[in-house]
Amino acid sequence: MSRRKLKFGVCLLGGLLSALLLGGCGDGEQTKVIVLPPLESQEPGSERLQISRIREYAGSGREGDRMCLTWGEPGTDLLYVVKIEDGSYRYQVVDTRKNETVSNIWVDDRIADMENVSIAPGGRYVVYEVQGQQDGKELIAFFPEKRVRSTFKSWKDPQEVYSYAWSDDGTALVSWESGDTGSPDADWVISVYYMTTAILEEGGQDNSLPVLRAEFLMKGRGRSRRTVLPNADGTEVYVREQFRILGNSDDGGMEAGTEDEADDGRDASNWLLLPEYALKEELPEYSKAPICPVKYTSAGLFIQKEDGTLCLVEEIRSNPVIKELISADPKRLTSNPYICENGDHVFLMECVNNSMYQVSGVRVADGEIEGVPMVLFKDNYESLVQMTVLGDQAVMFWGREYLDGARYRYRVTALEY
């Protein structure tokens, strides 16, 4: 999740849609009335993205909530929220149409120690880190349906920093160690947890649940940027390790490597993991220049170059072919692109000016972009917290606007397509 703060401008729909009304200022659902182009102008096979529905919900919170949330399946009108309330973390399910909380479940009261709180897509599971015994740390999974909490992993070294990623369907959680902290030359592990394999006893706490887990031991080779991307259902996991070869500077700090080091001191390795078969397949390299992997889909691997150009890498297992999709635009600041699980829709959060950002989208077919990204939505947030593509059905984003004192309003928008 990007922690970069973004500012939006005045509410407006461009391109395909035009917004006519934004609801009132209280907590609750905010409904936009939209006007689609006349049917006669919507030609079959049109390059335009067809947004069928816009859902919005507004709520309030207080500074320090450390709230996280996700929209439910399109059509359910449910919002899943984890936030601090009454001195503990609570898991809430909000019916946005009725503007009521239909479920409010206690998760944990170790507020000061909880980090990396994350809700699975679809809202069925929650994971977080917490300080464990003897100053170590633990990865905890919470199963709201049965109100069961389980420890997935424990470690003692506070320098071991972990990252996490969910499969698009929310059934698999992938965990891995950072390549820039702790001991970068030490071997590291990628763990894949399959949440649906848990056997739950209702009301249990701190149980060791038999969640099927696959682990892959990776060789430590120095400081690196590690990217781990599960596919839609977690049956395949793409891994890239971009190495940073560093040496000691005169002041005791770190500096870039010398000219003799290959590729200007940079190197990378790629793998494809098949957890079901415990197979780790090393992949051929496709880029000597540093790149940022964005999304691994059935259509291929989406990457972003350092200048912001979005590309698609096809045939990554045998003969990688890079296709440029969206060129970098020096006149426009663009955040990381967001790709659907099937790889046929690309969304961009774009900077228009210092106070306005917009959501644009475009379709991809047979490895080629259809037309150019078109503006779908513009809106104003003081800070944008998160943007996510939900399966291949909707794009969701939410942010805050700060009020007097420590209070803020948050607003969630889902564009269904």
Side-chain angles (χ1 to χ4, degrees), residues 132-147:
Q133 299 178 355
Q134 300 178 349
D135 295 327
K137 283 192 173 183
E138 297 177 347
L139 172 63
I140 307 293
F142 180 67
F143 298 79
E145 208 171 289
K146 295 291 186 179
R147 305 192 181 197

Side-chain angles (χ1 to χ4, degrees), residues 63-256:
E63 194 66 40
D65 281 356
R66 290 184 287 171
M67 181 175 63
C68 64
L69 56 83
T70 186
W71 202 270
E73 295 292 333
T76 63
D77 300 324
L78 296 179
L79 186 68
Y80 298 89
V81 182
V82 173
K83 68 176 182 178
I84 296 173
E85 187 175 276
D86 298 328
S88 67
Y89 266 102
R90 311 289 299 186
Y91 168 90
Q92 299 175 343
V93 182
V94 179
D95 185 328
T96 62
R97 181 167 291 279
K98 296 179 180 179
N99 188 25
E100 64 181 24
T101 301
V102 297
S103 180
N104 190 346
I105 302 171
W106 173 83
V107 177
D108 206 307
D109 56 10
R110 293 173 287 187
I111 296 174
D113 300 327
M114 289 180 68
E115 299 175 341
N116 288 334
V117 182
S118 176
I119 308 175
R124 286 173 290 176
Y125 315 107
V126 179
V127 295
Y128 56 93
E129 291 179 354
V130 71
Q131 185 173 334
Q133 299 178 355
Q134 300 178 349
D135 295 327
K137 283 192 173 183
E138 297 177 347
L139 172 63
I140 307 293
F142 180 67
F143 298 79
E145 208 171 289
K146 295 291 186 179
R147 305 192 181 197
V148 173
R149 188 173 62 193
S150 176
T151 302
F152 273 11
K153 183 180 181 68
S154 300
W155 63 97
K156 293 182 179 180
D157 187 353
Q159 289 190 322
E160 289 185 31
V161 177
Y162 287 85
S163 297
Y164 305 94
W166 289 99
S167 60
D168 292 277
D169 64 2
T171 63
L173 174 71
V174 185
S175 166
W176 68 97
E177 296 167 59
S178 169
D180 271 336
T181 57
S183 304
D185 294 313
D187 292 348
W188 54 291
V189 174
I190 298 174
S191 301
V192 185
Y193 302 91
Y194 292 101
M195 312 299 285
T196 56
T197 64
I199 301 174
L200 308 176
E201 294 182 8
E202 192 161 355
Q205 296 296 333
D206 294 320
N207 296 327
S208 295
L209 302 177
V211 174
L212 181 62
R213 179 181 65 181
E215 289 195 333
F216 296 87
L217 182 64
M218 314 296 287
K219 180 69 176 174
R221 294 171 54 191
R223 295 193 179 277
S224 61
R225 181 180 65 197
R226 296 168 181 167
T227 304
V228 181
L229 302 174
N231 66 348
D233 59 3
T235 54
E236 295 183 1
V237 181
Y238 168 80
V239 181
R240 181 176 178 88
E241 191 169 24
Q242 186 85 51
F243 297 103
R244 296 171 179 164
I245 302 176
L246 303 172
N248 291 323
S249 63
D250 294 337
D251 62 2
M254 305 299 287
E255 63 180 6

Side-chain angles (χ1 to χ4, degrees), residues 233-305:
D233 59 3
T235 54
E236 295 183 1
V237 181
Y238 168 80
V239 181
R240 181 176 178 88
E241 191 169 24
Q242 186 85 51
F243 297 103
R244 296 171 179 164
I245 302 176
L246 303 172
N248 291 323
S249 63
D250 294 337
D251 62 2
M254 305 299 287
E255 63 180 6
T258 64
E259 295 180 41
D260 337 333
E261 292 162 347
D263 299 330
D264 297 322
R266 299 172 187 261
D267 195 8
S269 293
N270 304 270
W271 298 270
L272 188 65
L273 311 182
L274 304 176
E276 184 179 354
Y277 305 102
L279 292 177
K280 178 173 66 175
E281 178 181 347
E282 188 155 7
L283 303 176
E285 182 52 72
Y286 54 85
S287 174
K288 290 187 176 181
I291 56 88
C292 179
V294 176
K295 186 77 173 178
Y296 177 57
T297 73
S298 55
L301 173 69
F302 289 82
I303 65 171
Q304 193 170 29
K305 295 181 179 180

